[in-house]
């Protein structure tokens, strides 16, 4: 696993508890996709984070956080009027109804 260095002040960042591999596998099986390896490593370090007003989503299955990769992926791909391409994994909302996404084919943002 790659070392992750945090460069922000503690009051600007909130890290969440790491997630277990079985939860990542659950997500991948549920949506029939593979999360890019770098994001998997991030989730194992911190299952999402809050950074100066921005959320980076984790998997919320079995947790009490309001939303995560699983609920956002489900909504954007199966419920939204303008469905997102299946190769995009929304990982961070921009606050205006859009999301930063990972392309699961190559890991690009």
């Amino acid at each position: 696993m790659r070392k992750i260095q945090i460069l922000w002040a503690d009051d600007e960042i909130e890290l969440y508890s790491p997630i277990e591999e079985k939860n990542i596998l659950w997500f991948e099986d549920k949506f029939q996709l593979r999360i890019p390896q770098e994001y998997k490593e991030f989730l194992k370090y911190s299952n999402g984070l809050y950074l100066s007003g921005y959320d980076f989503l984790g998997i919320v299955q079995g947790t009490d956080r309001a939303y995560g990769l699983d609920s956002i992926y489900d909504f954007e791909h199966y419920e939204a009027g303008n469905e997102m391409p299946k190769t995009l994994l929304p990982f961070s909302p921009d606050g205006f109804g859009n999301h930063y996404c990972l392309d699961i084919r190559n890991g690009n943002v």
Side-chain angles (χ1 to χ4, degrees):
M1 181 182 292
R2 219 180 304 171
K3 182 178 179 181
I4 299 173
Q5 183 177 12
I6 305 299
L7 301 175
W8 286 269
D10 289 341
D11 61 339
E12 297 176 357
I13 188 169
E14 182 178 352
L15 299 171
Y16 301 111
S17 298
I19 196 165
E20 295 180 26
E21 180 76 22
K22 68 180 181 177
N23 299 96
I24 295 171
L25 294 173
W26 168 84
F27 179 91
E28 292 179 328
D29 288 343
K30 179 178 180 176
F31 296 110
Q32 296 299 297
L33 60 82
R34 296 293 163 244
I35 296 172
Q37 188 61 39
E38 291 84 0
Y39 209 77
K40 285 183 189 183
E41 290 176 15
F42 163 68
L43 294 173
K44 291 176 186 178
Y45 178 81
S46 177
N47 185 30
L49 66 82
Y50 175 82
L51 174 63
S52 298
Y54 295 95
D55 287 311
F56 292 76
L57 304 176
I59 297 170
V60 299
Q61 177 209 19
T63 70
D64 60 358
R65 294 210 339 255
Y67 67 105
L69 289 175
D70 37 333
S71 60
I72 298 300
Y73 187 91
D74 193 46
F75 177 80
E76 293 295 336
H77 292 87
Y78 301 108
E79 299 174 27
N82 186 14
E83 295 177 359
M84 187 179 284
K86 301 287 190 256
T87 59
L88 297 181
L89 175 62
F91 71 91
S92 181
D94 72 355
F96 298 100
N98 305 302
H99 293 85
Y100 295 99
C101 297
L102 293 171
D103 186 331
I104 61 171
R105 296 170 297 184
N106 55 29
N108 291 338
V109 177

